[in-house]
Amino acid sequence: MKLAIRGVGAVGGFGCGLEALNAALSSGDHKTKHVVVKTAQGPCEMPAYLADTSRLEYFLNKRALRRVDHYSRMALLGAYLALEDAGRLDEDRSRMGIIIASGYGPGRATLVFLDTFIHDGDGLSSPTSFSNSVQNAAAANISILLNITGPGLTVGQLEMSVPSALIAASLWLEEGKVDSVLFGAVDEYHDELGYFWHRFFGEKATADHEMKPFEFDLQTGIPGEGAAFFLLTRADEGVSPYGCIEDVIINRCDRSPLEIPKDALLFIGADGHKQCGKYYKEHLPENVQLACYTPIYGSLPMGPAFDMAIAALSFKQGMIFPSQACTGDERALDVNRITCLKISGSGEAGLISLIKGN
Amino acid sequence: MTVKEQLKKIIVEELNLEEISPEEIEDDAPLFGEGLGLDSLDAVEIVVLLEKHFGVEIKSLDEGREAFRSINTLAAYIEERMPR
């Protein structure tokens, strides 16, 4: 079933909102910051794409946000921006569902809660920490603060979280369970993630480098965080300038060939992980027009949602943004279909195809 | 720092009350509802905070209801039971 994209909201290392995303895509600026990771050898600096959620105070007062942690704030901001972009902030949301995809989930809150549990015992663990640590925390916070009374779901399947959650959104709309789905994806950076990154990738993580997604044999990933949200409806409700999600497929690229539409512009989610790079190298079809925007938002499991946002923006603007594979300036979009491809470190492939119009 | 001052600081910091400073909390203002505007989840959080910071347990609902009226009643409850 085709899903129309009615509104898009995004926050990440590139900034807050579609204007910031548009500006980063046009300029190609990579806005990494430096984070300090505690290692056995002492503190170590490494780059990361971090999100600023201060714009959320435009929508909600501080009192309403006091129990909402950074992970949920990113999601909440993405949700508000998508509804605002769709012009549906003031609509009744009793027939709206919410589905969130996250590869890592609320990692920081989970570890904070575990720390209180370990240091102070189960009787002295913070209930607020606990409520922020559950996998569905962001969806719950959004439901409460936006008064969304339809069903809510959080899907965690690492790099396949976004396509997997989109399949659920499609089913809900097809079954008539809801009239619209506020669909989003979120992942956060936190100190422990930085530590793991350093442990796994060593000097590659600490070097002051840039992501090189097409250098498939090299580890050049830089951790990122952020949220991308979409207001989705059935496509028969009218044309959307952002286009439609036409198809979502998850398979294993080492077992069957990738089903990439021949006329599609392919956005690949190669995000500098050598483990995933080998699959892109082996399985990308020849003679396909490619683009890759991971250096705009970083390495994170929910990256395909940023690619969806960029695809939707490309349809609306009628242009292809410059990327490392499409050298040169911005140019007119000459295709009606964009497919976002993400391959995991174990060879799972998620394909999300968007088409212009409906 | 007095128990009342400690309590105000803990409440503001641990409950993330960014819009108010500890000095602005009145000693006899209600903590819940119309006063400081805390809610039931805050009450559970305060039970945990009292034990963590003062070593004082609130064992029954009736005791808690009385103690949670204001900073004054909460401080008195703590001072009576705080381990010396």
mmCIF file of all heavy atoms in Angstrom, chain A residues 322-356:
data_model
loop_
_atom_site.group_PDB
_atom_site.id
_atom_site.type_symbol
_atom_site.label_atom_id
_atom_site.label_comp_id
_atom_site.label_asym_id
_atom_site.label_seq_id
_atom_site.Cartn_x
_atom_site.Cartn_y
_atom_site.Cartn_z
ATOM 1 N N PRO A 322 23.787 17.721 -3.996
ATOM 2 C CA PRO A 322 25.110 17.151 -4.255
ATOM 3 C C PRO A 322 25.503 16.157 -3.171
ATOM 4 O O PRO A 322 25.168 16.343 -2.008
ATOM 5 C CB PRO A 322 26.041 18.366 -4.241
ATOM 6 C CG PRO A 322 25.296 19.442 -3.540
ATOM 7 C CD PRO A 322 23.846 19.165 -3.720
ATOM 8 N N SER A 323 26.177 15.098 -3.574
ATOM 9 C CA SER A 323 26.684 14.142 -2.577
ATOM 10 C C SER A 323 28.028 13.657 -3.082
ATOM 11 O O SER A 323 28.441 13.991 -4.190
ATOM 12 C CB SER A 323 25.728 12.974 -2.388
ATOM 13 O OG SER A 323 26.026 11.928 -3.274
ATOM 14 N N GLN A 324 28.682 12.835 -2.293
ATOM 15 C CA GLN A 324 30.013 12.370 -2.697
ATOM 16 C C GLN A 324 29.974 11.562 -3.994
ATOM 17 O O GLN A 324 30.961 11.474 -4.690
ATOM 18 C CB GLN A 324 30.619 11.534 -1.580
ATOM 19 C CG GLN A 324 31.041 12.395 -0.405
ATOM 20 C CD GLN A 324 31.940 11.667 0.557
ATOM 21 O OE1 GLN A 324 32.356 10.556 0.321
ATOM 22 N NE2 GLN A 324 32.240 12.313 1.668
ATOM 23 N N ALA A 325 28.801 10.968 -4.297
ATOM 24 C CA ALA A 325 28.715 10.181 -5.528
ATOM 25 C C ALA A 325 28.209 11.006 -6.691
ATOM 26 O O ALA A 325 28.488 10.708 -7.840
ATOM 27 C CB ALA A 325 27.802 8.993 -5.326
ATOM 28 N N CYS A 326 27.402 12.020 -6.410
ATOM 29 C CA CYS A 326 26.882 12.872 -7.473
ATOM 30 C C CYS A 326 27.664 14.168 -7.422
ATOM 31 O O CYS A 326 27.227 15.136 -6.816
ATOM 32 C CB CYS A 326 25.398 13.153 -7.278
ATOM 33 S SG CYS A 326 24.394 11.691 -7.304
ATOM 34 N N THR A 327 28.818 14.164 -8.003
ATOM 35 C CA THR A 327 29.668 15.350 -7.921
ATOM 36 C C THR A 327 29.045 16.505 -8.690
ATOM 37 O O THR A 327 28.203 16.307 -9.546
ATOM 38 C CB THR A 327 31.060 15.048 -8.477
ATOM 39 O OG1 THR A 327 30.888 14.465 -9.763
ATOM 40 C CG2 THR A 327 31.818 14.116 -7.569
ATOM 41 N N GLY A 328 29.488 17.688 -8.361
ATOM 42 C CA GLY A 328 28.960 18.868 -9.043
ATOM 43 C C GLY A 328 27.915 19.541 -8.195
ATOM 44 O O GLY A 328 27.683 19.190 -7.041
ATOM 45 N N ASP A 329 27.262 20.532 -8.767
ATOM 46 C CA ASP A 329 26.295 21.333 -8.033
ATOM 47 C C ASP A 329 24.947 20.625 -7.960
ATOM 48 O O ASP A 329 24.752 19.566 -8.545
ATOM 49 C CB ASP A 329 26.127 22.684 -8.731
ATOM 50 C CG ASP A 329 27.431 23.469 -8.712
ATOM 51 O OD1 ASP A 329 28.191 23.289 -7.742
ATOM 52 O OD2 ASP A 329 27.672 24.207 -9.664
ATOM 53 N N GLU A 330 24.039 21.282 -7.256
ATOM 54 C CA GLU A 330 22.660 20.788 -7.246
ATOM 55 C C GLU A 330 22.166 20.745 -8.690
ATOM 56 O O GLU A 330 22.540 21.579 -9.506
ATOM 57 C CB GLU A 330 21.766 21.759 -6.476
ATOM 58 C CG GLU A 330 22.069 21.827 -5.013
ATOM 59 C CD GLU A 330 21.312 22.951 -4.323
ATOM 60 O OE1 GLU A 330 20.719 23.799 -5.021
ATOM 61 O OE2 GLU A 330 21.344 22.966 -3.101
ATOM 62 N N ARG A 331 21.329 19.768 -8.973
ATOM 63 C CA ARG A 331 20.782 19.729 -10.328
ATOM 64 C C ARG A 331 19.346 19.251 -10.281
ATOM 65 O O ARG A 331 18.892 18.704 -9.263
ATOM 66 C CB ARG A 331 21.635 18.846 -11.230
ATOM 67 C CG ARG A 331 21.765 17.417 -10.747
ATOM 68 C CD ARG A 331 22.831 16.685 -11.546
ATOM 69 N NE ARG A 331 23.109 15.390 -10.993
ATOM 70 C CZ ARG A 331 22.448 14.294 -11.324
ATOM 71 N NH1 ARG A 331 21.473 14.348 -12.191
ATOM 72 N NH2 ARG A 331 22.766 13.139 -10.779
ATOM 73 N N ALA A 332 18.650 19.458 -11.378
ATOM 74 C CA ALA A 332 17.231 19.101 -11.415
ATOM 75 C C ALA A 332 17.057 17.596 -11.253
ATOM 76 O O ALA A 332 17.873 16.811 -11.752
ATOM 77 C CB ALA A 332 16.623 19.563 -12.729
ATOM 78 N N LEU A 333 16.014 17.242 -10.547
ATOM 79 C CA LEU A 333 15.708 15.828 -10.349
ATOM 80 C C LEU A 333 15.120 15.279 -11.645
ATOM 81 O O LEU A 333 14.127 15.798 -12.159
ATOM 82 C CB LEU A 333 14.686 15.703 -9.202
ATOM 83 C CG LEU A 333 14.317 14.298 -8.741
ATOM 84 C CD1 LEU A 333 15.500 13.623 -8.069
ATOM 85 C CD2 LEU A 333 13.158 14.352 -7.753
ATOM 86 N N ASP A 334 15.757 14.242 -12.181
ATOM 87 C CA ASP A 334 15.294 13.712 -13.461
ATOM 88 C C ASP A 334 14.715 12.308 -13.328
ATOM 89 O O ASP A 334 14.647 11.555 -14.282
ATOM 90 C CB ASP A 334 16.434 13.730 -14.481
ATOM 91 C CG ASP A 334 17.696 13.068 -13.929
ATOM 92 O OD1 ASP A 334 17.641 12.527 -12.803
ATOM 93 O OD2 ASP A 334 18.726 13.092 -14.620
ATOM 94 N N VAL A 335 14.348 11.922 -12.133
ATOM 95 C CA VAL A 335 13.718 10.602 -11.934
ATOM 96 C C VAL A 335 12.439 10.782 -11.109
ATOM 97 O O VAL A 335 12.273 11.793 -10.415
ATOM 98 C CB VAL A 335 14.651 9.624 -11.169
ATOM 99 C CG1 VAL A 335 15.883 9.285 -11.977
ATOM 100 C CG2 VAL A 335 15.041 10.189 -9.814
ATOM 101 N N ASN A 336 11.560 9.797 -11.193
ATOM 102 C CA ASN A 336 10.324 9.831 -10.409
ATOM 103 C C ASN A 336 10.366 8.883 -9.214
ATOM 104 O O ASN A 336 9.381 8.761 -8.489
ATOM 105 C CB ASN A 336 9.129 9.458 -11.293
ATOM 106 C CG ASN A 336 8.832 10.541 -12.294
ATOM 107 O OD1 ASN A 336 8.971 11.728 -11.980
ATOM 108 N ND2 ASN A 336 8.460 10.146 -13.493
ATOM 109 N N ARG A 337 11.474 8.178 -9.084
ATOM 110 C CA ARG A 337 11.548 7.196 -7.998
ATOM 111 C C ARG A 337 12.915 7.291 -7.315
ATOM 112 O O ARG A 337 13.948 7.339 -7.986
ATOM 113 C CB ARG A 337 11.349 5.791 -8.568
ATOM 114 C CG ARG A 337 11.369 4.691 -7.524
ATOM 115 C CD ARG A 337 11.046 3.327 -8.111
ATOM 116 N NE ARG A 337 9.621 3.131 -8.308
ATOM 117 C CZ ARG A 337 8.996 3.148 -9.480
ATOM 118 N NH1 ARG A 337 9.675 3.345 -10.574
ATOM 119 N NH2 ARG A 337 7.687 2.978 -9.564
ATOM 120 N N ILE A 338 12.901 7.299 -5.988
ATOM 121 C CA ILE A 338 14.151 7.256 -5.213
ATOM 122 C C ILE A 338 14.054 6.064 -4.269
ATOM 123 O O ILE A 338 13.049 5.897 -3.574
ATOM 124 C CB ILE A 338 14.364 8.550 -4.390
ATOM 125 C CG1 ILE A 338 14.533 9.768 -5.319
ATOM 126 C CG2 ILE A 338 15.582 8.418 -3.477
ATOM 127 C CD1 ILE A 338 14.591 11.109 -4.600
ATOM 128 N N THR A 339 15.088 5.240 -4.286
ATOM 129 C CA THR A 339 15.111 4.091 -3.372
ATOM 130 C C THR A 339 16.227 4.286 -2.352
ATOM 131 O O THR A 339 17.368 4.574 -2.729
ATOM 132 C CB THR A 339 15.320 2.772 -4.151
ATOM 133 O OG1 THR A 339 14.193 2.565 -5.012
ATOM 134 C CG2 THR A 339 15.435 1.587 -3.205
ATOM 135 N N CYS A 340 15.862 4.155 -1.078
ATOM 136 C CA CYS A 340 16.844 4.276 0.011
ATOM 137 C C CYS A 340 17.263 2.870 0.418
ATOM 138 O O CYS A 340 16.416 2.053 0.790
ATOM 139 C CB CYS A 340 16.244 5.000 1.214
ATOM 140 S SG CYS A 340 15.514 6.598 0.799
ATOM 141 N N LEU A 341 18.535 2.602 0.328
ATOM 142 C CA LEU A 341 19.048 1.254 0.629
ATOM 143 C C LEU A 341 19.956 1.300 1.848
ATOM 144 O O LEU A 341 20.893 2.102 1.906
ATOM 145 C CB LEU A 341 19.843 0.716 -0.570
ATOM 146 C CG LEU A 341 20.705 -0.523 -0.311
ATOM 147 C CD1 LEU A 341 19.839 -1.758 -0.021
ATOM 148 C CD2 LEU A 341 21.619 -0.793 -1.506
ATOM 149 N N LYS A 342 19.690 0.431 2.795
ATOM 150 C CA LYS A 342 20.569 0.286 3.962
ATOM 151 C C LYS A 342 20.925 -1.184 4.092
ATOM 152 O O LYS A 342 20.027 -2.044 4.072
ATOM 153 C CB LYS A 342 19.829 0.757 5.221
ATOM 154 C CG LYS A 342 20.612 0.628 6.505
ATOM 155 C CD LYS A 342 21.596 1.753 6.673
ATOM 156 C CE LYS A 342 22.276 1.714 8.033
ATOM 157 N NZ LYS A 342 23.289 2.758 8.149
ATOM 158 N N ILE A 343 22.206 -1.473 4.210
ATOM 159 C CA ILE A 343 22.637 -2.859 4.417
ATOM 160 C C ILE A 343 23.311 -2.951 5.783
ATOM 161 O O ILE A 343 24.160 -2.121 6.132
ATOM 162 C CB ILE A 343 23.606 -3.334 3.307
ATOM 163 C CG1 ILE A 343 22.979 -3.124 1.924
ATOM 164 C CG2 ILE A 343 23.953 -4.801 3.510
ATOM 165 C CD1 ILE A 343 23.864 -3.555 0.754
ATOM 166 N N SER A 344 22.916 -3.965 6.539
ATOM 167 C CA SER A 344 23.459 -4.120 7.895
ATOM 168 C C SER A 344 24.780 -4.882 7.856
ATOM 169 O O SER A 344 25.165 -5.441 6.824
ATOM 170 C CB SER A 344 22.460 -4.867 8.777
ATOM 171 O OG SER A 344 22.472 -6.247 8.451
ATOM 172 N N GLY A 345 25.427 -4.949 8.984
ATOM 173 C CA GLY A 345 26.704 -5.658 9.092
ATOM 174 C C GLY A 345 26.575 -7.152 8.909
ATOM 175 O O GLY A 345 27.576 -7.855 8.728
ATOM 176 N N SER A 346 25.336 -7.663 8.951
ATOM 177 C CA SER A 346 25.161 -9.102 8.734
ATOM 178 C C SER A 346 24.499 -9.391 7.387
ATOM 179 O O SER A 346 24.053 -10.511 7.151
ATOM 180 C CB SER A 346 24.333 -9.708 9.877
ATOM 181 O OG SER A 346 23.088 -9.052 9.973
ATOM 182 N N GLY A 347 24.419 -8.385 6.535
ATOM 183 C CA GLY A 347 23.926 -8.611 5.177
ATOM 184 C C GLY A 347 22.431 -8.434 4.979
ATOM 185 O O GLY A 347 21.918 -8.706 3.887
ATOM 186 N N GLU A 348 21.720 -7.988 5.997
ATOM 187 C CA GLU A 348 20.297 -7.684 5.782
ATOM 188 C C GLU A 348 20.207 -6.395 4.966
ATOM 189 O O GLU A 348 20.963 -5.458 5.217
ATOM 190 C CB GLU A 348 19.574 -7.440 7.099
ATOM 191 C CG GLU A 348 19.424 -8.646 7.976
ATOM 192 C CD GLU A 348 18.921 -8.221 9.345
ATOM 193 O OE1 GLU A 348 19.630 -7.418 10.005
ATOM 194 O OE2 GLU A 348 17.851 -8.668 9.739
ATOM 195 N N ALA A 349 19.264 -6.359 4.040
ATOM 196 C CA ALA A 349 19.107 -5.159 3.216
ATOM 197 C C ALA A 349 17.691 -4.622 3.354
ATOM 198 O O ALA A 349 16.721 -5.377 3.238
ATOM 199 C CB ALA A 349 19.397 -5.489 1.757
ATOM 200 N N GLY A 350 17.578 -3.346 3.634
ATOM 201 C CA GLY A 350 16.270 -2.692 3.701
ATOM 202 C C GLY A 350 16.156 -1.711 2.554
ATOM 203 O O GLY A 350 17.046 -0.878 2.351
ATOM 204 N N LEU A 351 15.096 -1.851 1.753
ATOM 205 C CA LEU A 351 14.879 -0.948 0.615
ATOM 206 C C LEU A 351 13.560 -0.219 0.792
ATOM 207 O O LEU A 351 12.511 -0.846 0.973
ATOM 208 C CB LEU A 351 14.837 -1.738 -0.695
ATOM 209 C CG LEU A 351 16.154 -2.393 -1.111
ATOM 210 C CD1 LEU A 351 16.014 -3.890 -1.092
ATOM 211 C CD2 LEU A 351 16.555 -1.913 -2.491
ATOM 212 N N ILE A 352 13.635 1.097 0.749
ATOM 213 C CA ILE A 352 12.429 1.918 0.876
ATOM 214 C C ILE A 352 12.335 2.760 -0.397
ATOM 215 O O ILE A 352 13.207 3.589 -0.661
ATOM 216 C CB ILE A 352 12.512 2.837 2.116
ATOM 217 C CG1 ILE A 352 12.719 2.008 3.389
ATOM 218 C CG2 ILE A 352 11.265 3.702 2.240
ATOM 219 C CD1 ILE A 352 13.181 2.818 4.588
ATOM 220 N N SER A 353 11.294 2.506 -1.186
ATOM 221 C CA SER A 353 11.156 3.242 -2.456
ATOM 222 C C SER A 353 10.101 4.327 -2.338
ATOM 223 O O SER A 353 8.968 4.070 -1.898
ATOM 224 C CB SER A 353 10.779 2.278 -3.580
ATOM 225 O OG SER A 353 11.879 1.471 -3.900
ATOM 226 N N LEU A 354 10.492 5.522 -2.733
ATOM 227 C CA LEU A 354 9.557 6.660 -2.724
ATOM 228 C C LEU A 354 9.316 7.085 -4.170
ATOM 229 O O LEU A 354 10.235 7.032 -5.003
ATOM 230 C CB LEU A 354 10.125 7.844 -1.950
ATOM 231 C CG LEU A 354 10.258 7.688 -0.435
ATOM 232 C CD1 LEU A 354 11.559 7.033 -0.061
ATOM 233 C CD2 LEU A 354 10.177 9.046 0.244
ATOM 234 N N ILE A 355 8.091 7.491 -4.464
ATOM 235 C CA ILE A 355 7.805 7.994 -5.809
ATOM 236 C C ILE A 355 7.230 9.403 -5.725
ATOM 237 O O ILE A 355 6.622 9.792 -4.722
ATOM 238 C CB ILE A 355 6.830 7.083 -6.592
ATOM 239 C CG1 ILE A 355 5.552 6.814 -5.793
ATOM 240 C CG2 ILE A 355 7.495 5.798 -7.010
ATOM 241 C CD1 ILE A 355 4.423 6.294 -6.630
ATOM 242 N N LYS A 356 7.439 10.112 -6.810
ATOM 243 C CA LYS A 356 6.914 11.463 -6.921
ATOM 244 C C LYS A 356 5.402 11.391 -7.088
ATOM 245 O O LYS A 356 4.889 10.477 -7.746
ATOM 246 C CB LYS A 356 7.549 12.109 -8.160
ATOM 247 C CG LYS A 356 7.453 13.581 -8.255
ATOM 248 C CD LYS A 356 8.264 14.022 -9.477
ATOM 249 C CE LYS A 356 8.094 15.500 -9.704
ATOM 250 N NZ LYS A 356 8.839 15.940 -10.890
#
